[in-house]
Amino acid sequence: MERIRIAVWFLLVVAIYAPLVVAKTTEKYIAVGHYDFPYFSNHDLGTKNSSITKLVLVIHGIGRNAIDYYNLLYGIAQTANTLSKTAIVAPHFLCPSDNPKPPSHVLSFSCDGWLQGLASVNTNKIYSFTALDQLLTAGVAAFPHLTEILVAGHSAGGQTVQRYGASTTKGKTEVLGTPVKYVAANPGTYMYLDNKRVAHPAHQHLKSLCPAPGGNECHLTASDFVGPYWNADSCPGYNDGKYGLGKPEGYIASVGRDAVIHQFPKSNFTYLLGDLDTQLGNALDVSCEANATGYYRKQRGLIWEKYLYLTQKVSPTTQVFHIVPGCGHNDTCMFQSAAFLAEMNS
Ligand SMILES: *[C@@H]1O[C@H](CO)[C@@H](O)[C@H](O)[C@H]1NC(C)=O
Ligand SMILES: *[C@@H]1O[C@H](CO)[C@@H](O)[C@H](O)[C@H]1NC(C)=O
Ligand SMILES: *[C@@H]1O[C@H](CO)[C@@H](O)[C@H](O)[C@H]1NC(C)=O
Ligand SMILES: *[C@@H]1O[C@H](CO)[C@@H](O)[C@H](O)[C@H]1NC(C)=O
């Protein structure tokens, strides 16, 4: 009896602590123009497969450790028993200072340019977002029974998802013929659509208003968003580069500001905000441009939510926000949350 009990305990302990069996995969390449772009995947996007019904594109963070995100999502699909119908695709943005240096036929991007759609250093004609477009287009061609596409990222990956999802001309339901949803987890900054930011009096009270004590809501109204930013004189770039549509560059300039403003509110987004992602650190952007939108990731997300709903006519059913309990700035915690699993398993 005792021996059986010990054996059962042993099995339980092994089941809990055994590491997830991780897929062995090698880097694959997709052609973009005359260049190659690397990605990890359990399926080659050049090979047709009619078992696949879901494509999950997962974008790495500032560490550009694509393989870790591939393995994380692979493990999640495996645990959910959905791996046989799921293609996990993890693009890998290289940068010129990488060691080893990317070969000349492989696309590379400035180390912070890839997350805002800037041009490749190989050629000024291929943008980082063009490579993402190419992966989605190839995925739709490879998987004829696809029913949903999820494009997800955490932190810098979440920023990429927000900017790419806002501006893409190819990654749209109407173009791909398959519903696309964008999931941005804990982005540090957002690309605003106009020059409105939290007005001075509300900005002074962000601590007490946002979130209000005991809740997860920022008590802001439409009149709390005013343009131009009250502190613009000392922060003239607050609406440029990756922070807004003031002076679009790269892919976003090629699409055009008006097109982005027109399409973004109709795109399907889920924003996941870690309840405990309230600290400075983890490479949080604390520039004046970023601080204009709030002081830490969770607060910036809650302010972005109000900005979208109150000033941009975004519907709360099209772009949904979830606070993820128990998670700080932790990709594993965020992607293993009930809110993300619901997206993976829908
Ligand atoms: C298609 O995908 C299924 C499930 O992932 C796999 O078992 C099968 O071998 C694939 N077929 C081809 C032709 O690659
Ligand atoms: C957003 O999702 C809804 C519901 O799934 C779908 O009907 C709609 O076409 C989607 N919109 C876009 C722009 O993809
Ligand atoms: C942004 O805010 C943080 C505190 O939340 C502060 O440490 C940092 O200096 C601020 N940045 C600027 C440019 O003032
Ligand atoms: C991140 O979250 C995972 C899953 O909740 C947890 O096991 C891990 O310890 C966390 N990492 C850190 C650094 O807190």
Side-chain angles (χ1 to χ4, degrees), residues 280 286-288 291 295:
L280 308 183
V286 289
S287 64
C288 70
N291 281 359
Y295 289 104

Side-chain angles (χ1 to χ4, degrees), residues 41-64:
S41 181
N42 51 343
H43 289 274
D44 191 317
L45 294 177
T47 307
K48 271 214 172 16
N49 195 316
S50 48
S51 323
I52 300 303
T53 55
K54 184 132 179 166
L55 169 61
V56 180
L57 191 79
V58 60
I59 301 172
H60 55 63
I62 201 72
R64 296 182 297 105

